[in-house]
Structure formats: structure tokens, C-alpha cells
Amino acid sequence: MRDYVKSKDFHRHMRSRLAPRFQELGWESQTAGKCSFARGARVFWLQVSQYSNSVMGAKFTINMSEGSGPTSDTRILFRLNEADRAIGKALEEGIIARLRRPDPDPEIEVVGDNGGTVLVKLGDLPRANSRQWVGPADVWLPYFSKSDLDDWAAFLLPRIERLTAPSSSETIDPQLWAQGFRRLVSFLRSR
């Protein structure tokens, strides 16, 4: 029987799997109890969905913060390339196929392709948001047990350096961008 991993155990388990690689790349572990790492002003952290239960499991995504404030948070799984997405999709389908299904297969509420909630059978869960693996999108990785988390850690470890590399949009100081935007708006209003 597979045991459902709750949020606290999720962070402990993923930290144990990811910490050696992050330390190798010069990142330091952050807040006890969470799976997060920092290097300078940049913070990498895993976010667990608030929509989870012991029937369908849970899902998580990865965020990168640059500076302070919520506007500096960026999801980084959009950086997955086409080959990564194919591997990720196959991994997701395998994890969902391992879920225990009560009889009858229940309908559960999930976020669908259009961002709204939809009811789907647990067995149809991989098709509920099929576009997440098609192109740059907000990717959430499903899990139920520690073995699922091990699979996702194995998927992420060889990609961490690329996923955490600064992008040009992250290297721009948001305060400078906002100041320039305000000047432009002010200029346009004065006309």
C-alpha cells in the first residue's frame, strides 16, 4: 500500500533529495521545514498545491524569487524544453496510473485547460490539463507517495542548473523597470 505524503513530509523528503545538488551549485538551504535554497538574492522554493487529498494525491510546482515581494516570484518550469516536457508528461502519466482508484472511480474537481475548475474521473486526471506539457505553461507535478517524489527528484536533478540560471527578465531590477514605466505613462498623459 502506498502512503500519501502530506505537505510537511513532502518538504523534508524533497529537501533530502535536492539539497546535495543545490549545495554543489553554491546554494544554501533555507527555512527549516520547507524545501527552499538561496544564492544571493535568489531563492528557489517548492510550492505544494492547496488542492490535495488522500484519494488524488497532491501536486507541486517550482518558484524562483529574485529580490523581495510577491511580484518578484517566477515559476521556472516553463523553462523545460521539448524533450524535458515529453519525459515529464510520461512520468506524470505513470504516477497517475499508479494511483489507487476506489470503485466506482470518483469524479474530482481540478483546474482545467482554461483555468476554471472541471470535474473529471480520477482515471482521466492526465487529460484534465493536457496543455501543461505542450509549451511554456504553468506546470504542476503530481505525486502521492515518496516513490513519486523520488521520480520527480530524479527528473529535476539533471535540470536544476539550467532551470535556476538567471534569465534576462530576472536580471532587470523591477524597481528600475517600474520607474521607467511610470515616466512613460506620465509622458503620454501630458500630451
Side-chain angles (χ1 to χ4, degrees):
M1 174 180 252
R2 292 166 19 118
D3 292 324
Y4 170 61
V5 178
K6 295 186 178 171
S7 180
K8 177 180 72 169
D9 295 326
F10 163 86
H11 286 285
R12 184 180 306 124
H13 190 78
M14 290 302 282
R15 178 190 292 269
S16 73
R17 297 297 185 258
L18 300 178
R21 180 67 177 137
F22 273 97
Q23 290 168 350
E24 187 180 288
L25 295 170
W27 294 74
E28 295 178 14
S29 290
Q30 288 296 102
T31 316
K34 297 289 182 189
C35 185
S36 63
F37 305 92
R39 184 169 65 188
R42 304 180 81 224
V43 179
F44 170 100
W45 54 283
L46 301 181
Q47 176 184 351
V48 178
S49 171
Q50 62 184 355
Y51 303 105
S52 63
N53 60 52
S54 61
V55 173
M56 65 181 246
K59 55 188 173 179
F60 71 98
T61 193
I62 304 173
N63 297 297
M64 181 79 68
S65 297
E66 181 83 23
S68 62
T71 58
S72 66
D73 292 348
T74 303
R75 297 270 168 75
I76 63 172
L77 290 177
F78 75 89
R79 295 179 178 178
L80 294 171
N81 62 33
E82 194 173 319
D84 296 337
R85 289 176 185 282
I87 294 166
K89 182 178 182 186
L91 183 54
E92 176 186 56
E93 289 171 352
I95 288 170
I96 291 171
R98 293 190 303 241
L99 284 174
R100 291 187 318 259
R101 289 194 182 82
D103 190 24
D105 197 1
E107 283 190 329
I108 55 174
E109 190 173 275
V110 296
V111 176
D113 284 339
N114 64 0
T117 57
V118 294
L119 286 175
V120 297
K121 296 276 189 192
L122 185 59
D124 293 331
L125 197 55
R127 291 185 291 279
N129 190 357
S130 58
R131 285 194 281 172
Q132 89 165 354
W133 295 108
V134 174
D138 190 14
V139 177
W140 288 79
L141 311 175
Y143 69 92
F144 186 86
S145 68
K146 287 184 179 178
S147 66
D148 300 336
L149 295 177
D150 291 341
D151 290 346
W152 285 123
F155 172 78
L156 293 170
L157 285 169
R159 295 165 177 85
I160 285 176
E161 189 169 15
R162 179 169 37 93
L163 291 173
T164 60
S167 69
S168 58
S169 63
E170 290 171 340
T171 58
I172 296 172
D173 182 342
Q175 294 296 327
L176 292 175
W177 182 89
Q179 288 172 359
F181 183 72
R182 279 197 235 46
R183 280 190 224 117
L184 175 63
V185 169
S186 177
F187 170 76
L188 293 173
R189 283 185 180 159
S190 68
R191 294 182 140 231

